Every structure is written in structure tokens, then in C-alpha cells.
Amino acid sequence: AQSVTQLDSQVPVFEEAPVELRCNYSSSVSVYLFWYVQYPNQGLQLLLKYLSGSTLVKGINGFEAEFNKSQTSFHLRKPSVHISDTAEYFCAVSFTGNQFYFGTGTSLTVIP
Amino acid sequence: DAGVIQSPRHEVTEMGQEVTLRCKPISGHNSLFWYRQTMMRGLELLIYFNNNVPIDDSGMPEDRFSAKMPNASFSTLKIQPSEPRDSAVYFCASSSTGRNEQFFGPGTRLTVL
């Protein structure tokens, strides 16, 4: 069975500070990994995805994530956050590329 | 590309009424997913279709919920009768085989009084 754990439900961070949102997964087979962002009153939008190859994945809006197979993690990072990054962030896994399993989400609040 | 289209965007109804949510997937996509999002339970997969056929409906909460996909460009999620605990945001998403990404619609915010 697959599961996704987002360890932090809420992350407050000051503007221009770095941030890391944590995601761990459990799976007995190879997986595809994703981060989605949800702005208030909107649907989910893909930030980045890991399918294979380089373990460091770069996405939109300056975000990046690193796949660590030994630690079964896929943490999301940004070196300097903006007010506009305030949103809900979801980690997801899939082993078929079709059906996704989402984490419970992390609410990122950027403080001016 | 218009993206995934959902209607209505907001629905307010009274307990016991029938509610129908609609989704138009991105043209050419062959998989469609219905999710429900609440504060308490987060994002839950209700059902997904592949080539218009329901593949996994294990997430449908009970018999009051039903979903159909009569053709590749349209799907409905129906709740009959509705209850206050059904209040949530319902998302539709679509994808295509080999694309490894789901595209989400803007959601329907359902309030059952």
C-alpha cells in the first residue's frame, strides 16, 4: 500500500527567508512523486514532478525538490519566499502515473 | 486549451435535495477523477474513470453518491439525497495515459443547509 505523510500542517515563514516543506512516502514499488500548490479558492496546480533521472527537480516559481530514495522523502524547498507563495501545498505519489495519492497538505504562510 | 471545466462553481441547497455536479475534462484526456476536499479529511479520491469506464469507486462514501461518464467529454457526480455533511469542495481532474500529471478544475463549492 502507498501512503504520503506531510509532517507539517502549517508553516509560517518570513518573507525572503528560505523554506522547506517535508514529504515522506511509503511504497514497496517505484513511484512517481509530485508537488501541487493550491491558492485560495482555486484548484490544484502542478509545481513539479519526479519521474526518473536526476533526483533534484526544479519547478515553477523558483521551487525545487529532491528525491531521496533511501529516506523515502521528497521535500520541497525555496531559497527565498514571497508573499505570493502563501498557499496550501500538497505532496502526491503515484506508481502508475494515473491514480494519485495525496498528502494532507501543508499551509504555507509568508509573513511580511 | 480551456482546461478542466466544472459547473456550477458554487451550489447552495437544502438537505434532501438532489445535487448534480458537472465536469468537462481536457480534450484528448482519457482519465477523469472526482475528489472531495474538506478541512477534516483533506483531499479524498471519490472515483476515477479510464476511457469512460469506472475503474475504482472505493472512495464513494455511500449509495447516495453516484458518478457517470457517458462520453469522453462529460462527467457528472450526483448526490441524492444531499446531507449537510456533504458540504465540501468537489474537484474534477483529468489526465492522459503517459502524461503523468493530473490537471484540476477550479472546483465546485457545495453547501448543504
Side-chain angles (χ1 to χ4, degrees):
Chain A
Q2 296 182 112
S3 70
V4 180
T5 302
Q6 291 185 244
L7 297 165
D8 307 299
S9 60
Q10 296 185 345
V11 173
V13 62
F14 286 103
E15 192 175 14
E16 297 184 4
V19 70
E20 178 180 81
L21 305 183
R22 296 181 291 170
C23 174
N24 287 86
Y25 68 93
S26 64
S27 176
S28 58
V29 298
S30 296
V31 296
Y32 304 128
L33 295 158
F34 307 81
W35 276 99
Y36 279 80
V37 60
Q38 183 182 27
Y39 299 106
N41 300 313
Q42 295 186 26
L44 278 70
Q45 176 185 354
L46 183 69
L47 265 182
L48 48 80
K49 60 184 176 183
Y50 170 79
L51 304 179
S52 65
S54 173
T55 57
L56 183 62
V57 180
K58 294 189 182 297
I60 62 173
N61 300 340
F63 283 92
E64 63 181 31
E66 185 157 20
F67 170 55
N68 188 319
K69 187 174 182 179
S70 62
Q71 297 186 5
T72 60
S73 67
F74 191 55
H75 300 334
L76 181 71
R77 302 187 185 97
K78 186 170 182 177
S80 175
V81 294
H82 302 134
I83 295 292
S84 59
D85 293 324
T86 294
E88 190 85 12
Y89 292 80
F90 292 91
C91 181
V93 301
S94 173
F95 69 91
T96 64
N98 204 17
Q99 188 169 4
F100 284 30
Y101 299 85
F102 285 87
T104 52
T106 297
S107 178
L108 174 64
T109 301
V110 180
I111 304 165
Chain B
D1 191 341
V4 176
I5 298 172
Q6 290 186 248
S7 65
R9 291 295 309 276
H10 302 273
E11 176 81 27
V12 181
T13 190
E14 293 186 345
M15 182 174 63
Q17 297 297 307
E18 178 180 294
V19 174
T20 300
L21 311 181
R22 298 173 176 79
C23 175
K24 177 178 170 57
I26 292 173
S27 177
H29 283 190
N30 61 343
S31 293
L32 184 140
F33 307 80
W34 281 103
Y35 291 90
R36 178 172 66 177
Q37 185 179 39
T38 61
M39 290 292 291
M40 292 298 295
R41 301 172 70 90
L43 195 63
E44 304 173 275
L45 176 66
L46 300 178
I47 185 171
Y48 86 91
F49 295 85
N50 193 45
N51 294 323
N52 311 336
V53 176
I55 302 300
D56 183 356
D57 65 354
S58 59
M60 296 286 263
E62 47 196 277
D63 293 344
R64 297 185 296 107
F65 285 70
S66 62
K68 294 182 179 179
M69 192 164 186
N71 57 62
S73 59
F74 184 66
S75 177
T76 59
L77 177 67
K78 186 177 294 186
I79 308 173
Q80 166 65 16
S82 59
E83 297 183 2
R85 59 194 169 117
D86 301 330
S87 297
V89 180
Y90 291 81
F91 288 103
C92 176
S94 70
S95 68
S96 60
T97 302
R99 183 67 190 264
N100 297 315
E101 179 181 348
Q102 290 188 11
F103 294 80
F104 280 75
T108 295
R109 183 174 295 276
L110 173 65
T111 302
V112 183
L113 303 175

